[in-house]
Amino acid sequence: MFVTPAYAQSPFGGGGGEILMSILPFLLIFVIMYFLIIRPQRTQMKKREEMLKNVRRGDQVITGGGVIGKVTKVIDDAELELEIADGVKVRLIRSLIADVRVKGEPAKE
């Protein structure tokens, strides 16, 4: 019934350290997730944006559907003209490019 001296001396009711210890695992999990998941994904997105921005005429590209073709014309920032066979040209949205193989570069193994 009576208040113990330990609780009477604490302005926060004596539970300040317990709250910190209960929040600490969540903070630790967030920091680990940031360094293992979020940060590498951001760097990968920056590399992809740089790759798509540097596509030029004459580059050999692979589309998201697996079609391999040669860039014949850069129409604007969003579209390219791609030659997928002799005399067959298609317009492609730049964001659908999966990989860029520059002319003269050997295939990745």
Side-chain angles (χ1 to χ4, degrees):
M1 287 275 186
F2 296 107
V3 178
T4 61
Y7 286 118
Q9 292 176 359
S10 175
F12 300 111
E18 293 175 9
I19 293 174
L20 180 65
M21 292 305 287
S22 64
I23 294 176
L24 187 64
F26 293 112
L27 292 174
L28 194 61
I29 289 171
F30 179 75
V31 168
I32 291 171
M33 284 183 58
Y34 176 78
F35 282 107
L36 292 179
I37 297 172
I38 298 169
R39 191 167 173 228
Q41 189 175 16
R42 282 186 182 171
T43 57
Q44 188 178 24
M45 285 175 52
K46 286 180 183 177
K47 284 181 185 177
R48 177 168 167 70
E49 288 176 10
E50 188 70 25
M51 175 191 72
L52 292 178
K53 190 170 63 172
N54 292 330
V55 173
R56 295 189 183 104
R57 197 179 98 211
D59 291 350
Q60 192 176 28
V61 297
I62 302 173
T63 66
V67 178
I68 300 174
K70 185 177 181 180
V71 178
T72 56
K73 183 179 180 183
V74 177
I75 297 170
D76 58 13
D77 289 341
E79 293 183 15
L80 305 168
E81 187 174 275
L82 194 67
E83 183 177 14
I84 56 175
D86 291 333
V88 179
K89 295 182 181 179
V90 294
R91 289 176 74 168
L92 180 72
I93 296 174
R94 193 180 289 252
S95 63
L96 292 178
I97 295 174
D99 193 19
V100 175
R101 289 200 255 171
V102 182
K103 58 183 177 183
E105 179 180 283
K108 297 178 182 175
E109 293 182 357

